[in-house]
Amino acid sequence: MGYRRADGRIGVRNHVLVLPVSYEMNQVADRIVRQVPDSVTFRNQHGIDQSGDDLRQTLRVYEGFATHPNIHGVIILGWGHEPYDLQSIAATAEAAGKSVELIVLEQVGGMRRAIELGVARTRQMVRDRDAVQREPVPLSEIILGTECGGSDACSGISANPALGVTSDLLVNAGGTSILSETTELMGAEHLLAERAVSREVGDRILYIVRRMEQNAMKMGVDIRGAQPAPGNIEGGITTIEEKSLGCIHKAGHSPIQEVVEYAERPTKKGLIVMDTPGHDIEQMTGMVAGGAQIAIFTTGRGTPTGCAIAPVIKVSSNSFTYQRMQDHIDLNAGTVIDGTETVQQVGERLFQLMLNVLSGQQTKAERLGHREFGIYRIGQSL
Amino acid sequence: MNELQRKWLVMHPKDDVAVALVPLAAGTTLTDLDRGFGVTLRADIPFGHKFAIRTIPKGGLVHKYGQVIGISTAAIEAGDHVHVHNVDSRRARGDLTKGASQV
């Protein structure tokens, strides 16, 4: 059950999003959402200092959020000095059939007036969206973002293979699943390239991993300590190769159809690779901007994060973490380690949970109000 | 042993290491008929950590999931704890280009 949007895409949530397109507008966004609790926003770290590919990538994220099928409408908040064409972001959202309001701080006369206007328009949009009803929608229109964070040695044995089962079930039903985290494909890229539908797609996988590795080499640092992270190491993961070989299990066994850039919308269905960093929030933001309506996040250590506009299902890889982090974990795959369930059983249970969440059941991250946001920065602050 | 009640797991026949699925104490002798090894643990193995199921010489490739996960920086005996103190990554090592030695 979901929401059919004017542009043909399917939403699984019906949010009114207050979108600050630069950090200068965070305060305004925050005050609006506090007065209209049924709306959502996030804290933006980006401002007016971007250029080139970096700027284009950031814009792709804003447009991806403004046109996202999980939102009914968007209040775009700008200061007036951003290096992006605010009118054009608004026009793109309108073309996707969204209710849109553009508020430019400088033009409306400052913060007090911007908040007043924003609250009024947000309230109106929330009233309007409440009239939209869920209806049966095909699973083939669903894009799932897969993610693992705070991995431990169990992630590659329990939670990731179980997510792989879920991912394959969705792909077999005609849907789309995104594998990301290029840093965490390092050491396993040859296995993925073999699964690509064409030589070209396989080469692209090898290329994005090489590019990520070269960026790390250029920094002249020892990747150990960052990848695997201290939590990973404590959990028993020794090297990035080992982490990667565990990570790729979450993509199941489906053939890889396409490789897309960060925050880019897939043009094919089935299993897709998106080039993102390993950073949990940046990859989540990229996959959601690329159209993922839902994400499943496996975690060894219990990473407490979520997304403003997409439900995030948390799956723990072991029962210790499940016990410690019950506020955050929706499903425990540690039963595989405990010996009470098989990977297949957990994967099927996870698929069922995903269907329930797609149809409206709230995840723990949603209930807790997790709204983390971060854009993968490929340029330098100037 | 029931597959669902394993206290350790070897992911692939080619592997040099097993993963402890419960904390295992030094001195414990483990026998795995399926994988054909018997080892006495030479250190406590925390939950989720690895131990060697065969000898790996210094500078040898270490396999898990049937793939290379790194290179050993010390001679590893069967039953040793295998982790960052005796295994190094071979990937994205910008520090190596600056002259750091790997092994």
Side-chain angles (χ1 to χ4, degrees):
Chain A
M1 298 286 279
Y3 304 93
R4 241 173 238 286
R5 303 300 185 190
D7 61 355
R9 296 162 85 192
I10 298 296
V12 303
R13 291 295 183 267
N14 201 25
H15 289 303
V16 171
L17 171 67
V18 179
L19 172 67
V21 296
S22 57
Y23 66 78
E24 288 87 350
M25 298 306 289
N26 283 342
Q27 203 45 249
V28 176
D30 191 49
R31 303 273 183 100
I32 293 172
V33 167
R34 258 193 266 167
Q35 291 182 57
V36 192
D38 286 337
S39 58
V40 292
T41 189
F42 52 79
R43 195 160 282 272
N44 193 352
Q45 300 295 326
H46 295 256
I48 61 165
D49 55 354
Q50 290 170 284
S51 54
D53 286 344
D54 195 40
L55 175 62
R56 276 186 285 278
Q57 177 161 292
T58 296
L59 255 175
R60 207 154 64 222
V61 172
Y62 296 148
E63 289 189 348
F65 270 64
T67 60
H68 197 279
N70 283 0
I71 71 160
H72 165 84
V74 58
I75 317 286
I76 300 168
L77 298 178
W79 167 24
H81 295 279
E82 289 84 358
Y84 357 101
D85 181 351
L86 299 176
Q87 292 288 351
S88 149
I89 302 176
T92 305
E94 253 161 27
K98 306 298 178 190
S99 301
V100 181
E101 182 78 18
L102 172 62
I103 299 175
V104 181
L105 189 72
E106 197 182 55
Q107 287 171 10
V108 300
M111 184 151 172
R112 194 182 44 78
R113 184 77 189 117
I115 293 171
E116 235 172 61
L117 257 171
V119 167
R121 277 302 287 142
T122 308
R123 280 208 178 113
Q124 184 59 49
M125 265 188 217
V126 168
R127 273 197 294 275
D128 293 346
R129 71 102 197 255
D130 286 344
V132 185
Q133 298 292 318
R134 281 186 184 273
E135 54 185 295
V137 293
L139 207 49
S140 57
E141 294 303 315
I142 297 301
I143 304 177
L144 164 70
T146 68
E147 174 160 4
C148 53
S151 299
D152 68 356
C154 295
S155 300
I157 301 171
S158 58
N160 288 348
L163 174 51
V165 170
T166 305
S167 174
D168 282 341
L169 286 169
L170 176 64
V171 166
N172 291 340
T176 302
S177 176
I178 304 178
L179 171 68
S180 65
E181 310 183 83
T182 309
T183 326
E184 296 162 23
L185 305 182
M186 225 178 272
E189 67 270 40
H190 56 295
L191 302 175
L192 293 172
E194 282 168 14
R195 276 167 53 188
V197 290
S198 68
R199 176 77 191 272
E200 192 193 349
V201 171
D203 285 349
R204 189 80 196 155
I205 294 169
L206 299 178
Y207 167 74
I208 62 168
V209 174
R210 198 162 56 236
R211 182 169 66 179
M212 187 65 85
E213 186 167 13
Q214 277 165 358
N215 285 343
M217 304 282 271
K218 261 188 250 161
M219 288 161 65
V221 295
D222 177 356
I223 195 172
R224 297 165 304 173
Q227 287 288 2
N232 299 146
I233 291 174
E234 208 183 307
I237 294 178
T238 305
T239 62
I240 183 63
E241 294 94 315
E242 181 186 9
K243 184 172 174 178
S244 298
L245 291 162
C247 281
I248 65 164
H249 281 97
K250 64 185 189 285
H253 297 92
S254 303
I256 297 166
Q257 305 288 340
E258 184 179 27
V259 177
V260 295
E261 292 290 327
Y262 184 83
E264 203 176 44
R265 212 193 291 181
T267 65
K268 302 212 161 57
K269 290 182 191 281
L271 181 61
I272 305 291
V273 170
M274 180 183 284
D275 183 22
T276 79
H279 187 292
D280 293 334
I281 306 310
E282 293 180 0
Q283 55 163 305
M284 173 78 69
T285 300
M287 291 191 294
V288 171
Q293 298 103 323
I294 185 167
I296 299 181
F297 189 137
T298 66
T299 175
R301 318 290 292 177
T303 313
T305 57
C307 175
I309 61 169
V312 179
I313 298 174
K314 289 288 181 52
V315 181
S316 65
S317 71
N318 68 78
S319 299
F320 301 117
T321 294
Y322 179 65
Q323 298 302 338
R324 274 197 303 264
M325 299 294 282
Q326 277 199 37
D327 285 356
H328 301 271
I329 308 296
D330 297 281
L331 187 139
N332 176 25
T335 50
V336 172
I337 306 291
D338 303 338
T340 54
E341 260 187 316
T342 63
V343 164
Q344 185 67 29
Q345 285 169 329
V346 176
E348 285 170 11
R349 205 151 58 81
L350 178 57
F351 183 71
Q352 189 53 52
L353 173 62
M354 181 182 78
L355 295 181
N356 294 345
V357 169
L358 286 171
S359 292
Q361 182 183 321
Q362 281 207 313
T363 64
K364 291 195 172 171
E366 282 181 294
R367 264 182 264 158
L368 292 169
H370 272 294
R371 289 162 186 177
E372 284 72 21
F373 178 88
I375 302 176
Y376 172 34
R377 196 94 207 237
I378 53 175
Q380 194 176 327
S381 296
L382 294 172
Chain B
M1 192 192 323
N2 181 343
E3 195 200 345
L4 292 178
Q5 292 167 342
R6 286 184 180 282
K7 293 191 170 61
W8 66 90
L9 188 63
V10 181
M11 304 299 294
H12 191 276
K14 232 177 120 177
D15 289 359
D16 306 304
V17 295
V19 180
L21 301 183
V22 293
L24 297 170
T28 310
T29 297
L30 310 171
T31 311
D32 193 323
L33 294 177
D34 296 347
R35 295 290 188 221
F37 69 84
V39 296
T40 300
L41 297 179
R42 290 159 53 95
D44 289 342
I45 311 297
F47 168 70
H49 285 233
K50 295 177 289 299
F51 58 90
I53 60 173
R54 59 174 76 110
T55 305
I56 307 164
K58 182 176 173 179
L61 296 178
V62 183
H63 294 84
K64 183 185 170 191
Y65 300 108
Q67 300 286 327
V68 175
I69 60 164
I71 189 165
S72 66
T73 55
I76 298 173
E77 297 294 324
D80 274 345
H81 184 206
V82 174
H83 204 22
V84 291
H85 61 284
N86 53 15
V87 177
D88 244 359
S89 173
R90 298 192 303 164
R91 300 295 299 271
R93 292 284 304 275
D95 60 325
L96 295 178
T97 62
K98 282 178 152 182
S101 67
Q102 176 145 25
V103 176

